[in-house]
Amino acid sequence: MRVTLDLKDFVKYPFLKESQQFIGSYADSIEEFIQTNTGKIALRYALGRVRDALGDRENREKDSSSPGSDSFGVKQAVASYALARVLVSCQNDRSLIERLTRFEAQRAYSFLIDEEETKKEYIAWSVGIDIRNPEIPFIRYVETVSGLRDDRWRLVNREVRAGMVAVTHEEMDELVREQIRVLLTRQLPLKVPERICQLLQPALEQVTLVYQKQMLERFGTVEEDSFPPCIQAILMALTSGTNITHAGRFAVTAFLHNIGMDNNKIIELYCRAPDFDISKTMYQVEHISGRGGTEYTSPSCAAMRTNGLCVKRDALCEKVGHPLSYYKQKKRKGKPAPT
Amino acid sequence: MKAATLEFLKQRFTDYYQQEYLLVPPSLGQREWGFIFFDPDYPEIRMRRHIGFSGREELITYVRSMVPAHAYYSTAYYMTPGAPTMNEKKWLGADLIFDLDADHIVRGPYDLMLARIKEETQKLISMLTEEMGFDPGAISIVFSGGRGYHIHIRDISVRGWGSGERRELIDYVCGIGLDPALVLNHRTPSPRGWHQRYISSLTEYLQRLDAMDPGEAVRELSTLEGVGKVTAEEFYKKRRELMEKLKNSPERVNFRDHTIGKVLPALLEAKTGNFYALLLDKAARADEPVTTDIKRLIRMPSSLHGGSGLRVTPIGIREFPDFDPLTDAVVFGDRLIKTDVSMKLGMSLRGNHYQLEKGVNDVPEALAVFLCCRGIAEIAGGV
């Protein structure tokens, strides 16, 4: 497929290999680049990208200036995309990476929907989707949608035949957005040498600051009233002394850990289980909360459904794909309106 | 289990492993292995796992000398499969696995359960090949040696998939997450697939309602969550119109209609209801957690299942329709063995039917192994 891309396109779609080739001359050594004036400006834009990704509006105003549209500005813009990836890689936090890739995909999508057809086809093709067909190969489809929450994307609700899945033309744009997100997420974290992360330390500190503030706003103190019905049901079963399955224990432990409940508090809850065994429980709780090296995230709604743990769905459940999102939203709604 | 019985089983298993050709999975060096042995306190389960083998010879020598009661390897591929913790192993990918176990579907005599689960397996294979488009050559079917079948798909393009991607597949085959409004709206529906499966289940259900006493039908409908007597009556009145639409223009079923929008989802939610049973009949009821688990251990094909003495038997897709586990997975002989059976039972093996009384019976070795493995008999005389 042949399409002529111009400078504007590099800014819109900085992940394309053409965009990366365009700034190739700068990328020889990040180390040198970030110490030049151009590099410093690009780094500021990069920080802006990460802030945008975190939805930090307040501080955004300060550096709302954007790079110019000339060759120099375009280089800065594309470099800021690359540097933002370096920043989150130094931080090496999965959810920060997710936020950035979601943001980048959404940003590209906002340009893509108004793009002329041949250019759109080219961008889609470059991430592996042929939007001219009314269906896409089964394997690609599954890989693209497994992170999407809406029921309409579920394979079971699709026409699936002979290894192809039907997709309407209007849905294609959304699939391309998701595919961009999947690809970008797969590329991160980059292996960034320690000394480069050292050089970026001041910027990284700012990222941490914004991020922490965000986390505190989202979770903060534990509010049991805001727990989703599935988690409440398991807790109820636990407190009434009913034995619960391993999957149930895992779900509730990971959930409580994710919203910031202290391990001892979690173990206390388990005291009420009929087969309570302190050492076993401590091991399980500590394991799930990351002692063994992996910190587990509580299962999504889809996983809860698969394990038969999704019960007593309410209206808010329809709007979320994850018990943690339910908690966040309910908590936010529960807050008294600012006066 | 008595010492004599344990010894008998161990000897029979030893014979088998000495003589038979054993199959090893591809990429043997990247698999973790786990075994359960005939320890003195067998069948108390104690698994020895986190074992890695560098090659075929090493594995076979190990199996022949250790004679496991159960042998498993990881569906996953690891950089260092023998490492003691999962993190250190470094996961590289995993085969796609489906586990069909009759235990989850039907209770009853062994041969009946096996027949039922075979149907389920056939449904699954047709979904995998005709709907999802997997190459039949990449699919291997294995009789588990117990109450079901394992499907291994070694397609390189799905090897790196996490639980999320695998969940799409298992939810699809089981019909989990089905949304009536969405599936009825398919534009170019195929004769297979959930569009058709949903329509035919619902049609069957409506026909049954139609044949019922009206009061009875309304009562059944009003047991649904969120459906009151009035809604149930309204729905009952619309049953024929709805059947007609399902037949001719399913995309025109109107979910904005209060009655339809309430009852159709509620039918699907009632997991113990009559409609759901009809729908499940059309699904392939594989065990969900097995497919989404990317670090699972699975029985080694060509090993023996210590709970039955049957061979974990790989079967070609073409041979599958004719496969009979109670003949084709039986590896032991006809020599008569005095066996003390703990209850009266009837059982078919290799085409013969055996009617055993409680107490000591002379039974063919193959049956003796089966009964002792199941824990319902002990060896009576000398071995």
Side-chain angles (χ1 to χ4, degrees):
Chain A
M1 203 179 286
R2 273 236 142 132
V3 172
T4 318
L5 298 171
D6 56 35
L7 288 177
K8 280 201 301 293
D9 296 322
F10 298 154
V11 179
K12 290 181 192 168
Y13 314 110
F15 50 84
L16 293 178
K17 66 175 190 309
E18 291 85 346
S19 312
Q20 294 303 313
Q21 278 159 2
F22 178 70
I23 60 154
S25 54
Y26 274 134
D28 284 346
S29 154
I30 308 180
E31 221 170 333
E32 275 170 35
F33 177 65
I34 52 182
Q35 298 184 68
T36 62
N37 273 337
T38 322
K40 281 178 188 154
I41 297 166
L43 184 59
R44 211 176 70 222
Y45 291 135
L47 202 54
R49 274 186 124 94
V50 178
R51 278 198 170 128
D52 279 352
L54 286 169
D56 180 43
R57 310 228 169 275
E58 298 160 37
N59 295 302
R60 187 72 191 109
E61 313 302 323
K62 283 187 238 159
D63 22 50
S64 59
S65 65
S66 45
S69 55
D70 57 351
S71 168
F72 180 69
V74 169
K75 279 190 177 162
Q76 281 182 336
V78 179
S80 78
Y81 160 81
L83 282 175
R85 285 153 52 96
V86 171
L87 284 176
V88 300
S89 298
C90 284
Q91 212 79 341
N92 195 15
D93 177 297
R94 209 61 235 174
S95 81
L96 185 60
I97 289 173
E98 297 272 342
R99 300 277 209 100
L100 182 68
T101 55
R102 195 170 294 277
F103 165 79
E104 292 293 354
Q106 181 60 33
R107 183 181 172 278
Y109 173 77
S110 67
F111 298 122
L112 192 71
I113 43 176
D114 296 326
E115 208 64 84
E116 57 177 283
E117 207 54 27
T118 47
K119 201 167 269 178
K120 192 194 270 189
E121 279 168 15
Y122 178 76
I123 310 287
W125 173 81
S126 69
V127 296
I129 295 181
D130 184 353
I131 60 172
R132 293 169 306 179
N133 276 347
E135 46 185 20
I136 70 175
F138 169 76
I139 302 242
R140 166 52 37 86
Y141 180 83
V142 171
E143 288 178 352
T144 306
V145 305
S146 72
L148 288 171
R149 194 183 76 202
D150 244 11
D151 283 348
R152 72 190 155 105
W153 295 113
R154 299 283 69 80
L155 194 59
V156 70
N157 291 322
R158 289 272 152 181
E159 286 176 56
V160 183
R161 96 179 82 186
M164 300 300 277
V165 181
V167 175
T168 65
H169 195 68
E170 305 82 71
E171 289 172 326
M172 280 293 185
D173 290 346
E174 290 175 79
L175 274 191
V176 172
R177 169 180 60 190
E178 185 61 12
Q179 180 64 12
I180 293 172
R181 191 188 72 77
V182 168
L183 287 179
L184 296 186
T185 308
R186 213 177 275 164
Q187 293 162 359
L188 296 176
L190 308 165
K191 285 203 176 79
V192 185
E194 187 52 41
R195 51 168 210 288
I196 291 178
C197 292
Q198 284 296 333
L199 278 171
L200 294 170
Q201 208 47 46
L204 287 171
E205 276 165 21
Q206 289 197 51
V207 172
T208 310
L209 218 66
V210 175
Y211 189 46
Q212 276 176 344
K213 203 182 92 206
Q214 287 270 310
M215 291 300 281
L216 220 62
E217 271 172 23
R218 281 163 67 214
F219 296 112
T221 53
V222 174
E223 282 174 22
E224 274 196 53
D225 291 345
S226 302
F227 288 179
C230 51
I231 298 293
Q232 286 199 0
I234 302 171
L235 284 173
M236 192 93 86
L238 201 66
T239 40
S240 71
T242 319
N243 211 347
I244 51 176
T245 61
H246 177 73
R249 278 167 203 252
F250 174 81
V252 88
T253 309
F255 177 86
L256 295 173
H257 172 72
N258 291 157
I259 63 163
M261 192 185 261
D262 171 68
N263 278 358
N264 289 328
K265 279 254 169 59
I266 302 178
I267 292 167
E268 266 173 40
L269 277 171
Y270 277 102
C271 294
R272 302 161 193 161
D275 60 343
F276 177 70
D277 171 338
I278 179 79
S279 64
K280 216 190 227 169
T281 304
M282 265 173 73
Y283 170 79
Q284 283 173 350
V285 170
E286 283 179 351
H287 177 74
I288 293 169
S289 55
R291 249 276 175 82
T294 320
E295 192 171 342
Y296 292 90
T297 308
S298 83
S300 65
C301 293
M304 296 290 277
R305 259 198 302 280
T306 309
N307 289 325
L309 293 167
C310 174
V311 293
K312 299 191 182 140
R313 288 171 70 102
D314 62 18
L316 185 50
C317 287
E318 305 299 331
K319 294 188 197 130
V320 300
H322 203 289
L324 286 171
S325 325
Y326 182 105
Y327 179 68
K328 265 179 277 170
Q329 294 207 15
K330 181 112 180 230
K331 240 183 109 171
R332 202 179 312 146
K333 274 187 195 145
K335 268 188 196 158
T339 44
Chain B
M1 187 176 283
K2 286 184 183 160
T5 308
L6 197 64
E7 190 50 37
F8 166 72
L9 289 180
K10 207 169 165 183
Q11 277 185 22
R12 295 299 87 225
F13 275 48
T14 305
D15 262 16
Y16 172 81
Y17 283 120
Q18 288 299 337
Q19 287 162 20
E20 294 301 318
Y21 183 80
L22 300 177
L23 302 168
V24 302
S27 311
L28 171 66
Q30 296 182 330
R31 311 276 188 172
E32 178 202 352
W33 290 75
F35 301 94
I36 294 170
F37 297 105
F38 288 110
D39 293 328
D41 52 354
Y42 186 84
E44 175 82 7
I45 301 292
R46 202 169 301 156
M47 186 189 282
R48 224 174 295 169
R49 59 182 295 185
H50 307 304
I51 301 171
F53 295 105
S54 57
R56 186 186 156 82
E57 278 318 305
E58 197 190 349
L59 166 71
I60 305 255
T61 310
Y62 183 90
V63 170
R64 288 196 168 141
S65 59
M66 300 295 284
V67 191
H70 303 268
Y72 309 87
Y73 65 77
S74 61
T75 59
Y77 303 77
Y78 299 106
M79 192 107 82
T80 325
T85 69
M86 297 318 272
N87 261 336
E88 290 168 78
K89 291 193 200 303
K90 299 262 179 306
W91 189 86
L92 301 171
D95 297 330
L96 178 60
I97 299 289
F98 293 91
D99 175 26
L100 296 116
D101 188 335
D103 256 5
H104 298 174
I105 299 171
V106 63
R107 290 271 168 190
Y110 191 52
D111 49 351
L112 206 97
M113 291 174 87
L114 286 174
R116 179 69 182 79
I117 200 65
K118 198 174 155 190
E119 282 173 25
E120 221 55 35
T121 309
Q122 260 156 335
K123 278 191 276 179
L124 175 62
I125 290 168
S126 103
M127 286 188 199
L128 291 172
T129 54
E130 285 158 40
E131 290 167 41
M132 299 184 189
F134 281 107
D135 172 11
I139 297 178
S140 62
I141 313 169
V142 179
F143 170 59
S144 73
R147 295 193 191 89
Y149 294 89
H150 298 154
I151 307 285
H152 302 235
I153 300 180
R154 297 203 185 94
D155 183 328
I156 188 84
S157 50
V158 302
R159 194 176 285 181
W161 280 7
S163 298
E165 290 89 346
R166 292 166 201 254
R167 176 167 305 109
E168 289 294 333
L169 269 58
I170 188 73
D171 284 355
Y172 183 87
V173 303
C174 297
I176 296 172
L178 196 70
D179 182 319
L182 290 170
V183 287
L184 286 181
N185 228 339
H186 287 179
R187 297 182 189 190
T188 52
S190 96
R192 303 177 200 287
W194 280 103
H195 175 81
Q196 207 46 53
R197 285 190 277 265
Y198 180 75
I199 289 179
S200 56
S201 316
L202 187 57
T203 306
E204 264 176 76
Y205 180 74
L206 293 172
Q207 281 163 350
R208 277 198 204 176
L209 278 188
D210 197 46
M212 277 161 91
D213 166 69
E216 192 66 29
V218 169
R219 218 167 305 139
E220 173 167 325
L221 288 168
S222 40
T223 58
L224 296 171
E225 177 115 10
V227 177
K229 187 148 177 285
V230 177
T231 312
E233 274 166 357
E234 285 285 307
F235 184 82
Y236 182 74
K237 274 186 220 148
K238 289 183 181 161
R239 69 193 184 282
R240 291 199 180 149
E241 183 197 332
L242 184 55
M243 279 195 267
E244 192 55 34
K245 268 194 188 155
L246 287 173
K247 193 166 160 218
N248 298 320
S249 48
E251 73 287 351
R252 286 182 49 228
V253 173
N254 183 9
F255 282 81
R256 290 207 195 94
D257 174 313
H258 171 78
T259 319
I260 302 285
K262 198 95 204 166
V263 176
L264 293 190
L267 280 170
L268 203 57
E269 281 305 307
K271 304 295 181 212
T272 51
N274 291 331
F275 169 73
Y276 200 68
L278 290 169
L279 190 75
L280 271 189
D281 270 349
K282 299 188 171 52
R285 296 160 71 184
D287 192 17
E288 299 111 45
V290 176
T291 299
T292 54
D293 187 348
I294 55 170
K295 295 174 180 174
R296 194 99 180 169
L297 293 178
I298 193 143
R299 278 184 195 280
M300 167 192 178
S302 78
S303 67
L304 295 179
H305 187 306
S308 68
L310 296 175
R311 179 169 180 258
V312 180
T313 316
I315 314 148
I317 283 198
R318 265 192 236 134
E319 287 78 54
F320 187 64
D322 296 324
F323 179 78
D324 174 13
L326 292 179
T327 296
D328 300 322
V330 179
V331 297
F332 295 110
D334 293 326
R335 178 169 69 109
L336 291 181
I337 307 277
K338 278 201 187 320
T339 310
D340 186 359
V341 187
S342 66
M343 57 179 156
K344 183 178 171 184
L345 59 90
M347 160 96 201
S348 292
L349 208 63
R350 270 214 201 109
N352 296 317
H353 190 79
Y354 301 92
Q355 199 60 49
L356 306 180
E357 294 301 319
K358 183 176 189 305
V360 178
N361 294 262
D362 279 332
V363 304
E365 179 187 80
L367 184 56
V369 170
F370 179 82
L371 297 172
C372 292
C373 280
R374 307 264 337 117
I376 49 181
E378 301 271 4
I379 289 304
V383 176

